[in-house]
Amino acid sequence: MKRNVLVIGSGGREHAVCHTLARSENIGRIYAAPGNAGIAAMPTAECVDIKTTDLNGILEFVRAHDDIYMTVVTPDDPLSMGLVDLLNQNGFRAFGPTAAAAKIESSKAFAKELMRKYDIPTADYRVFDEFNAALTYITGAKYPLVIKADGLALGKGVVICKDFKTAENALREIMLDKKFGAAGASVVVEEFLYGEEVSVLVFTDGQTIKIMPTSRDYKRAKDGDKGLNTGGMGAFSPVTEFEDSKCNFKEIAMNSIFMPTIHAMNKEGRLFRGILYFGLMVTAGGVKVLEYNARFGDPETQVILPGLKTDLLEVFDACIDGKLGELDIEWDGKYRVCVVAASKGYPLSYEKGKKITIKDGEGLIFHAGTAIKDGELVTNGGRVLCAVGEGDLLSEACNNAYANLKRMTFEGMIFRRDIVRNAQ
């Protein structure tokens, strides 16, 4: 029996999720709210004009469409607002953590306190909800240090501060100028960690964990990791040095971080079912947690999910039903690189409505900020398109990604030229 699914979101991550679901022989129709032009162009997909934060609108849509088997909630805002809870309370099947479980991402202070309470390795830190107290602390602090807005800030609420002046400006922008709104009511000030960064996403049903291939993203807007923080300008997978069984990275992280986090959440009465994202730093003193996300990363998803050989709908079902331990999940083992094409001015102000041209060719292109206007494909966001390349070698995947990128053009298109290239 074919299953129809509703996917919540409009970015490159959601396009990658829809693309992977569409490969399932069990999938019928895919609805996306609100979706984008790339999803709308899929033969089996249909976009509906409902905002991701319109929880009641989504509930009413599901209620009016009894053909929807499952709602897949991918963005952080509706998760933290309790969309999964709302759907479940009304008798509808949903994939993603509850609001209580999603707090591991929606409050950095909560996440840090959880790690401290359950001895999960992370950077030393302090939490402040008053500007003057935070200012006094950073006056005598050791630099560099990291300042984070407590709440959700589209991946941009983290500032690495090399000196007091930078830290003071960050505090003022976050706490006084309300750059990130209510997300900056409190801040986490933590020590700067030195080492190799790696992201590990896992499927979990609250008891069992299934690890996806490792990945690494590029947050800064400009080459050489310069410029402002963004939602992500590129990514690659896997990170070879942490996939080698000889280094025992995954085993160490599983025993010291992954399972302890799941157990901690259970003890706190916050059963986590869905995707848990671990942002890690491998330091001289061991593996430590930089951050948690309660969903698929973006653009990490674009380089991870294309390699999934197992039916994604079956994985989602197993997570929801607490049967993940009964499922073997397979990956194709290839390297993938994603390069993001963004609008000029991103992550600050940028114009929309620029005509996009995509030439015929090979390679996956996931749409992020796109729309159809007057019959033409146009830009509709900061991050516009994601060019993905794959190969048996990382260098091959990199070359294919940049070759794929050349197929697309729009006025003001910007991108980083050093994705992976600075890692070789």
Side-chain angles (χ1 to χ4, degrees), residues 19-57:
H19 174 268
T20 308
L21 282 171
R23 291 171 9 209
S24 168
E25 61 182 19
N26 299 314
I27 284 287
R29 195 110 187 112
I30 299 174
Y31 299 100
N36 58 42
I39 297 172
M42 295 174 57
T44 58
E46 176 184 336
C47 293
V48 293
D49 189 18
I50 307 175
K51 293 182 179 179
T52 61
T53 53
D54 182 3
L55 272 56
N56 288 326

Side-chain angles (χ1 to χ4, degrees), residues 88-132:
N88 287 340
Q89 288 161 10
N90 284 274
F92 299 114
R93 191 171 183 80
F95 175 81
T98 62
K103 191 173 183 180
I104 200 169
E105 175 179 11
S106 63
S107 173
K108 295 181 180 66
F110 168 80
K112 297 295 283 191
E113 295 294 342
L114 183 84
M115 288 184 274
R116 173 178 284 171
K117 182 177 180 180
Y118 292 96
D119 295 321
I120 298 167
T122 188
D124 191 22
Y125 72 98
R126 292 282 299 275
V127 178
F128 298 94
D129 57 15
E130 201 276 319
F131 173 77
N132 288 329

Side-chain angles (χ1 to χ4, degrees), residues 36 88 108 115 134 146 161 184 209 235 252 258 266 275 293 299 304-305 318 321 331:
N36 58 42
N88 287 340
K108 295 181 180 66
M115 288 184 274
V146 182
C161 307
I209 277 179
I252 292 169
F258 303 158
N266 287 339
I275 307 296
N293 289 334
I304 294 174
L305 278 189
D321 296 331
W331 305 87

Side-chain angles (χ1 to χ4, degrees), residues 46-84:
E46 176 184 336
C47 293
V48 293
D49 189 18
I50 307 175
K51 293 182 179 179
T52 61
T53 53
D54 182 3
L55 272 56
N56 288 326
I58 293 168
L59 174 62
E60 289 308 310
F61 181 82
V62 174
R63 184 174 280 143
H65 291 75
D66 57 9
D67 60 315
I68 294 177
Y69 169 70
M70 177 194 299
T71 299
V72 179
V73 187
T74 49
D76 47 15
D77 282 336
L79 287 171
S80 68
M81 294 169 68
L83 178 55
V84 170

